[in-house]
Amino acid sequence: MKIQAYDISKTASATTLIFDAIRQAIITGDLAQGEPLRQEDIARAFNVSRIPVREALLKLEQHGLITSQRYKGAVVAGLSLDEASEIFEFRALLEPEVIRRAVPQMSPQVLETAASCCEAFGRADDPMQWGDLNRRFHSTLYAASGLGYHMEVLDKAMDRIDPYLRAQLLLSDGMQRANREHRMIVEACRAGQADRAADLTRQHILGAQESLSRYWQK
Amino acid sequence: MKIQAYDISKTASATTLIFDAIRQAIITGDLAQGEPLRQEDIARAFNVSRIPVREALLKLEQHGLITSQRYKGAVVAGLSLDEASEIFEFRALLEPEVIRRAVPQMSPQVLETAASCCEAFGRADDPMQWGDLNRRFHSTLYAASGLGYHMEVLDKAMDRIDPYLRAQLLLSDGMQRANREHRMIVEACRAGQADRAADLTRQHILGAQESLSRYWQK
DNA sequence: TTAATGTATATTGTATCCAATTTTAAGGTC
DNA sequence: GACCTTAAAATTGGATACAATATACATTAA
């Protein structure tokens, strides 16, 4: 067998595939806030019945990515700047602690992966990749903490603010600053300075929140 | 309009009713860890088809209350003591900040409700009520913070450890101590001492975690 | 004209049926 | 009796069909 194969039946159900596709479209901003999601349309687009579509929509709703009303249907969830700010605060509370716990556990492998994210981040010219790399950078470092529950919760939080994050990276100095701060964080991790990594992470998050708020107000 | 009316459209769908019922059974410990949940059985019990049952199970899975495998079905999710401990740490991180933000916003109404929870908590002899009152106590205070997202995330976290919490309240001095600490927290809130309320809350959570861990090890 | 009401259409919620897969048990071979 | 094969039962995933509800539009009466 020369083909790189894997057991499809274990991986994707229709529900999962639909969920992933819609989730991706929402967090990249492809589907805008308030956009209605009709079960029938989606079912046709994926060539399935409405049943798996409904289940995908249910999962999306649990993630806070859509809101749905009985007999009225689902729309892409809106997120006011205030709500987004609350989620930034949430991150600012959690992530410093997570990285603090992670630093002593970081293998050279992890540090190298994180560094390579920084590299790619600096080189990438496609703004879409920035969002992806940004998330990969953080989750790579956090994964070393072994705090599965925290990671899970944080991932959901990131999903919700992802459109805002991508917008923030597109601001005049957003991408440059993020890149600079990421490198400083890796530096602290590599030096084993857990507290410093935590501080930098906190500032990184609050800085992003602040620059976003400021931009949105003018 | 002389008729006492209310919006019946807001009333629950079958999916929601089933979700609530099973969730309740899980968090009270009525359904034990590992208990299998057969769609057909549940459907018969509620006199509905399997469709709403499946959707209820999906929601439960998103909440982490059950785990399900393709073609194998769902079982009540297990939670090791380590995992429960991680959720306690999660709470210990969030709740002090939430209550700190809440204290300046607490109306006399809120404080009175919280105090009445303490009263009822002290009087109740049914161990089942302790868990409910404990949650109502905390969420009443936190609600004043206006931090909707934090509340939502915390609620889900509480769902997961609820069986452990109830077990902890049943320990020799669990209920007494919880009651004592609750009253101290209300006191601090009433006095407007946000930092003290935060500290007490943190200790309250870590104390519960610690007494639980100690008990489980022997 | 306008507000209230009836009707048609669109959309979601649920039931019933079939397909895919796993589990169980029976039978045969050593 | 242990072990493999195989057929049947049990169970979940998905498709189709129908019921319940909402929305939009036409109709009618004041």
Side-chain angles (χ1 to χ4, degrees), chain B residues 15-56:
Chain B
T15 297
T16 306
L17 288 170
I18 297 166
F19 169 82
D20 287 340
I22 299 181
R23 168 181 169 274
Q24 192 67 16
I26 293 177
I27 69 179
T28 60
D30 234 10
L31 279 171
Q33 284 189 189
E35 188 89 12
L37 299 169
R38 303 261 171 255
Q39 298 176 3
E40 185 68 39
D41 296 347
I42 299 170
R44 244 200 316 276
F46 285 92
N47 197 30
V48 295
S49 81
R50 274 171 44 225
I51 298 290
V53 172
R54 283 168 51 180
E55 301 189 344

Side-chain angles (χ1 to χ4, degrees), chain A residues 151-199:
Chain A
M151 292 275 296
E152 191 183 312
V153 173
L154 276 175
D155 259 349
K156 284 190 194 170
M158 291 295 287
D159 273 357
R160 295 223 45 197
I161 55 170
D162 215 315
Y164 281 93
L165 263 182
R166 284 164 202 264
Q168 193 266 335
L169 286 174
L170 281 174
L171 295 185
S172 59
D173 67 338
M175 187 274 191
Q176 258 84 16
R177 204 183 63 182
N179 197 10
R180 193 168 57 240
E181 294 174 350
H182 286 173
R183 289 172 194 274
M184 288 172 68
I185 291 171
V186 177
E187 220 40 60
C189 290
R190 184 170 284 134
Q193 303 173 324
D195 286 344
R196 180 166 158 74
D199 265 0

Side-chain angles (χ1 to χ4, degrees), chain B residues 131-168:
Chain B
D132 300 338
L133 286 166
N134 181 41
R135 287 190 63 161
R136 223 184 49 218
F137 171 79
H138 287 288
S139 68
T140 298
L141 293 179
Y142 300 162
S145 70
L147 297 172
Y149 187 80
H150 289 70
M151 292 274 297
E152 191 183 313
V153 172
L154 278 175
D155 259 349
K156 284 189 193 168
M158 292 294 288
D159 273 357
R160 296 227 40 198
I161 55 171
D162 216 316
Y164 282 93
L165 263 182
R166 285 163 201 263
Q168 192 267 334

Side-chain angles (χ1 to χ4, degrees), chain A:
Chain A
M1 171 72 74
K2 294 283 175 64
I3 302 170
Q4 177 60 26
Y6 58 96
D7 188 346
I8 332 180
S9 72
K10 288 279 166 57
T11 56
S13 60
T15 297
T16 307
L17 287 171
I18 297 167
F19 169 82
D20 286 340
I22 299 181
R23 167 180 170 276
Q24 192 66 17
I26 292 177
I27 70 179
T28 59
D30 235 10
L31 278 171
Q33 286 189 187
E35 189 89 13
L37 299 168
R38 305 260 171 256
Q39 298 176 2
E40 184 67 39
D41 296 347
I42 299 169
R44 244 199 316 275
F46 285 92
N47 198 30
V48 294
S49 81
R50 275 171 42 224
I51 299 290
V53 173
R54 289 170 57 84
E55 302 187 342
L57 292 179
L58 252 169
K59 286 177 74 172
L60 289 164
E61 188 177 11
Q62 298 301 307
H63 278 249
L65 293 176
I66 69 174
T67 62
S68 77
Q69 277 184 294
R70 200 170 152 79
Y71 296 120
K72 287 193 177 178
V75 297
V76 176
L79 194 68
S80 69
L81 186 59
D82 277 352
E83 292 168 315
S85 275
E86 192 191 333
I87 298 181
F88 272 99
E89 285 178 38
F90 178 80
R91 291 181 57 202
L93 218 49
L94 253 67
E95 299 191 27
E97 287 306 311
V98 172
I99 205 168
R100 193 197 309 280
R101 287 268 298 258
V103 165
Q105 317 282 338
M106 284 179 191
S107 65
Q109 169 77 34
V110 165
L111 288 165
E112 197 193 332
T113 305
S116 80
C117 282
C118 291
E119 275 307 309
F121 192 87
R123 272 203 314 277
D125 45 359
D126 174 12
M128 260 321 127
Q129 292 187 9
W130 292 345
D132 300 339
L133 287 165
N134 180 42
R135 290 189 63 161
R136 219 176 62 213
F137 171 78
H138 287 288
S139 68
T140 299
L141 293 179
Y142 300 162
S145 71
L147 297 173
Y149 187 79
H150 289 70
M151 292 275 296
E152 191 183 312
V153 173
L154 276 175
D155 259 349
K156 284 190 194 170
M158 291 295 287
D159 273 357
R160 295 223 45 197
I161 55 170
D162 215 315
Y164 281 93
L165 263 182
R166 284 164 202 264
Q168 193 266 335
L169 286 174
L170 281 174
L171 295 185
S172 59
D173 67 338
M175 187 274 191
Q176 258 84 16
R177 204 183 63 182
N179 197 10
R180 193 168 57 240
E181 294 174 350
H182 286 173
R183 289 172 194 274
M184 288 172 68
I185 291 171
V186 177
E187 220 40 60
C189 290
R190 184 170 284 134
Q193 303 173 324
D195 286 344
R196 180 166 158 74
D199 265 0
L200 288 170
T201 298
R202 182 175 162 79
Q203 283 167 28
H204 177 54
I205 294 167
L206 292 180
Q209 173 192 20
E210 212 241 340
S211 95
L212 191 63
S213 306
R214 208 170 17 178
Y215 172 80
W216 236 255
Q217 270 162 20
K218 66 179 176 183

